[in-house]
Amino acid sequence: ASVTAKRQGDFGYIRISNFSEQTEEGLMKAFKTFDKEIPGGAKGYVLDLRSNPGGLLDQAVAVSDAFLEGGEIVSTRGRRVKDTLREMGTPGDKAAGKPIVVLIDGGSASASEIVAGALQDRNRALLLGTKSFGKGSVQTVIPLQNGLQGALRLTTARYYTPSGRSIQAEGIDPDVEMPILLKDQEELATRPAEKD
């Protein structure tokens, strides 16, 4: 399971460790659990994306969409303007506009940066932690000789947040800079980023 959730007083804490096929389903279960456990539902949510290396793009879009009221979530841009793809959300904020704090760190990469960037750009969440990893490139695997001679993995595009910020090597800056480390994780504060 990529999603774990627990009640913290009147708030819902949701940890997403990676973006797999079950992530959206796990998030919806978390919302239902909080609605049952907390009288009147959760007053707000903490979305923990620390050390989340990413995963499936469609699941990152689905998670972002759950907290947004439609609109752009992420765009994928290659060298040619006509190759630009925009991932759009659908109407209906599953969190009903309640406050969200997103936790990120230097291990938050790729799909987790897409979610954090979308919620930040759309003024939907406050980001707390440290600068994310900066993995915003899209790779395409090109078979050589119909796969008989192996394949070439080529970077073909980059991910951009709704406001047009490139994630690649830049990462996502938190709104509030605050290292959040568990015991015995001090070395993670100085881990290398994508740009390194």
Side-chain angles (χ1 to χ4, degrees):
S2 64
V3 179
T4 52
K6 60 184 174 183
R7 175 183 177 178
Q8 296 279 8
D10 289 337
F11 294 85
Y13 169 85
I14 302 165
R15 163 89 180 128
I16 302 179
S17 58
N18 62 70
F19 289 87
S20 67
E21 290 89 348
Q22 293 85 31
T23 303
E24 181 184 14
E25 182 185 334
L27 179 63
M28 294 307 128
K29 280 184 185 172
F31 285 146
K32 286 178 186 169
T33 301
F34 295 141
D35 286 342
K36 284 181 194 170
E37 291 181 358
I38 303 171
K43 289 185 177 170
Y45 300 96
V46 173
L47 183 62
D48 190 347
L49 299 177
R50 290 175 296 165
S51 298
N52 179 325
L56 301 174
L57 173 63
D58 67 318
Q59 293 296 302
V61 170
V63 168
S64 302
D65 192 18
F67 295 104
L68 294 169
E69 190 65 60
E72 185 175 322
I73 292 170
V74 65
S75 62
T76 307
R77 302 182 199 170
R79 281 192 306 184
R80 298 178 300 184
V81 176
K82 68 178 186 173
D83 292 337
T84 299
L85 295 171
R86 295 186 190 286
E87 296 286 348
M88 306 298 285
T90 54
D93 176 357
K94 307 277 190 307
K98 293 175 180 175
I100 304 163
V101 171
V102 178
L103 305 181
I104 60 169
D105 66 8
S108 306
S110 194
S112 57
E113 292 177 290
I114 288 170
V115 174
L119 297 181
Q120 184 182 49
D121 276 9
R122 303 280 303 281
N123 296 313
R124 184 63 187 88
L126 178 83
L127 270 56
L128 178 70
T130 55
K131 190 184 197 68
S132 66
F133 185 73
K135 201 288 185 183
S137 59
V138 181
Q139 281 88 36
T140 303
V141 177
I142 304 165
L144 302 174
Q145 296 269 310
N146 290 327
L148 298 173
Q149 298 292 318
L152 174 68
R153 188 182 186 109
L154 188 67
T155 299
T156 54
R158 288 184 176 173
Y159 290 126
Y160 289 80
T161 67
S163 69
R165 292 183 293 160
S166 172
I167 294 171
Q168 179 60 25
E170 300 297 323
I172 302 293
D173 286 309
D175 298 304
V176 179
E177 180 90 20
M178 180 184 293
I180 312 162
L181 296 171
L182 300 173
K183 287 181 183 175
D184 305 321
Q185 283 192 330
E186 286 75 16
E187 76 282 354
L188 296 182
T190 57
R191 70 178 136 202
E194 175 79 358
K195 66 181 179 185
D196 299 323

